[in-house]
Amino acid sequence: MMVAEVLGYLKENSERKNHWKILDVGTGSGNIAVSIAKNLEDLALEIEAVDVSEEALEVARVNAAQHGVDDKIHFFQGDLLEFAEEGEKFDVIVANLPYIGTMRNNFVEGNVKKYEPNSALFGGADGLALYKKLFQQIHDYKVRFDAMFGEFGDGQREELKELLNKYFEQSWRIEKDLAGIDRLFVVNKV
């Protein structure tokens, strides 16, 4: 869903820009960055993909190469925005950070738990620790963007609304997934 939303946003705004700078925070296997690059091969894209795990980045690099988009994606190891320069500007930020809470909303399907590392699944007691940290880094580093898209978990809407209001006032919205569950937040122009 997030990839579809980002693709729609970029296509809708492609006439006003001929070069896009995109940041994929918590890229993991690179599926979001690779999907965006692969689906928009006709646009000039510069995608920066960051993850704390070097092992995940190795998989992401292989995936980018296998899909022929490794020339459009630059991979960085780091903790969220630690690599960013103060005042850096991105057209789009995408974030699919671990959002399962360790104290609640902690249901994880057996196969997922078996094959995914905990660091890719759990985001603190309420599941929003990494989003809190990301939003604070955006504020501290004065990172600017036109749009930010992020996925979150079922039952986190109210806490996420408080976070979004704290950092981005009313320039955001929440979208439902195909099952009718609040799943994606979108922040515009910061």
Side-chain angles (χ1 to χ4, degrees):
M1 178 181 169
M2 182 160 33
V3 170
E5 289 284 330
V6 172
L7 293 176
Y9 174 84
L10 293 172
K11 287 177 182 176
E12 187 178 298
N13 292 286
S14 63
E15 289 186 16
R16 71 175 179 87
K17 286 192 73 83
N18 59 5
H19 183 270
W20 292 92
K21 185 175 179 183
I22 300 168
L23 173 61
D24 180 12
V25 182
T27 196
S29 65
N31 62 333
I32 292 172
V34 170
S35 295
I36 291 169
K38 188 73 177 168
N39 281 283
L40 296 173
E41 291 181 302
D42 55 327
L43 292 181
L45 299 174
E46 175 188 343
I47 301 174
E48 295 182 2
V50 62
D51 201 283
V52 72
S53 167
E54 183 56 43
E55 293 83 10
L57 289 171
E58 288 175 23
V59 172
R61 287 182 188 100
V62 168
N63 287 337
Q66 285 180 339
H67 290 280
V69 294
D70 49 327
D71 61 326
K72 293 186 176 197
I73 306 172
H74 307 283
F75 295 99
F76 299 91
Q77 183 179 13
D79 188 6
L80 303 174
L81 297 182
E82 283 183 344
F83 79 97
E85 294 180 26
E86 185 168 330
E88 194 163 355
K89 169 77 165 69
F90 297 95
D91 298 302
V92 174
I93 297 175
V94 295
N96 188 7
L97 301 175
Y99 55 75
I100 299 170
T102 56
M103 299 303 287
R104 57 191 166 96
N105 298 332
N106 61 0
F107 171 77
V108 180
E109 185 182 285
N111 280 340
V112 173
K113 200 168 197 172
K114 183 177 179 181
Y115 294 108
E116 290 289 333
N118 283 346
S119 63
L121 299 173
F122 297 101
D126 66 357
L128 296 174
L130 292 171
Y131 281 112
K132 291 173 189 170
K133 187 174 182 177
L134 173 65
F135 297 166
Q136 187 63 50
Q137 286 181 346
I138 287 171
H139 175 75
D140 291 346
Y141 301 163
K142 298 174 180 59
V143 170
R144 296 172 296 128
F145 59 87
D146 291 332
M148 177 169 50
F149 300 81
E151 184 174 326
F152 63 98
D154 188 21
Q156 294 176 321
R157 179 186 176 101
E158 292 308 312
E159 290 105 335
L160 185 63
K161 280 174 53 176
E162 288 178 28
L163 273 177
L164 292 169
N165 279 331
K166 176 181 177 181
Y167 288 96
F168 307 111
E169 297 174 356
Q170 293 297 322
S171 59
W172 57 267
R173 70 180 191 279
I174 291 178
E175 299 288 334
K176 294 184 181 301
D177 64 15
L178 296 175
I181 298 169
D182 294 325
R183 182 66 65 203
L184 182 74
F185 67 84
V186 181
V187 181
N188 292 306
K189 287 270 188 193
V190 171

